[in-house]
Amino acid sequence: MNELTGKIALVAGGTRGASRAIAVELARSGAFVYVTGRTSGEHRSEVGRPETIEGTVELIEKAGGKGVAVRVDHLDPEQVRALAERIDAEHGRLDILVDGIWGGDTHLGWGNPVWEHPLEASLRMIRLGIDAHLITSHFLLPLVVKQRGGLVVELTDGTAEHNAKYREGTTLAFYVAKAAAHPFAIGEAAETAKYGCTAVAFTPGWIRSEAMLDEFGVTEENWRDALAEQPHFCISETPTFVGRTVAALAADPDKERFSGQTLDSGRLAKLYEIDDVDGSRPDGWRYIAEVEQQGKPADPTGYR
């Protein structure tokens, strides 16, 4: 607790899911957190869900932390420029940049080959998963490299090993948009190394986000009811677990050793001895590789 006191953080796309939880846990550990996103008050993004950036700040305050919500479309360079200028004027630096921008779930079209997937939807996912991240890095990284010890976290879906081959059952644009986080981390690590900064890509496991719980028609209290439909959901983890692992990484004085790598919640939980809210320690991507992808019956024994 309070390991990040005095640190300034930005969680871009911190409206819901993993990014929301990361914002809360960074603040719980003492950081002041800027939370940005497109859904604020009466303004909703194409995602169309009820969560807002103000709601994230309410959770931060309930956790005893401090933060502020700033409505920003990270595809608009001028809005991101203004955000960077505001953070610079108010704090003169940025210690932690978490880029969780996405919002492309309404464009997925699982299983459609590229020629059948609507071109507008494909291009939108590329814009959200690549362009928005590049724009954010362009304007915010100058604040991160102002001092040694800065951290950049590019959120994605899947480890580098998992995404080394095509994600069957998804769509080409989704695959490219998410796999882009790996070279982002490699490139940002190289470009910030002389400033003593760390840049990584990071993936949660099978996260029980607000949207995922709704998809299965369950709540956090009865999430195991979803196992009747999808037995491998047994390995799922809470957003809080994800947030705890990223907060631990941010507080690690030796985190630079990971720069350029893709990390996952299970790996960090083992390293930092972090448990989920139920006391378990899910290792989602190892389970996916060793159990689900091998066609074995669902069984989380030894994986949480």
Side-chain angles (χ1 to χ4, degrees), residues 1-2 23-31 59-60 62-65 240:
M1 297 297 292
N2 302 319
V24 172
E25 296 307 315
L26 289 174
R28 193 193 305 275
S29 293
L59 292 174
I60 285 174
K62 287 181 181 178
T240 297

Side-chain angles (χ1 to χ4, degrees), residues 1 9 12 38 75 85 101 122 138 156 162 181 221 224 233 235 263 290:
M1 297 297 292
R38 295 175 293 165
L75 278 171
E85 291 174 349
I101 299 163
S122 289
H138 175 79
T156 187
H162 189 78
E221 288 67 33
R224 289 176 178 80
F233 197 52
I235 196 59
L263 306 174
E290 297 178 4

Side-chain angles (χ1 to χ4, degrees), residues 224-242:
R224 289 176 178 80
D225 291 349
L227 303 188
E229 178 182 347
Q230 174 46 270
H232 290 299
F233 197 52
C234 64
I235 196 59
S236 63
E237 62 200 46
T238 68
T240 297
F241 177 70
V242 177

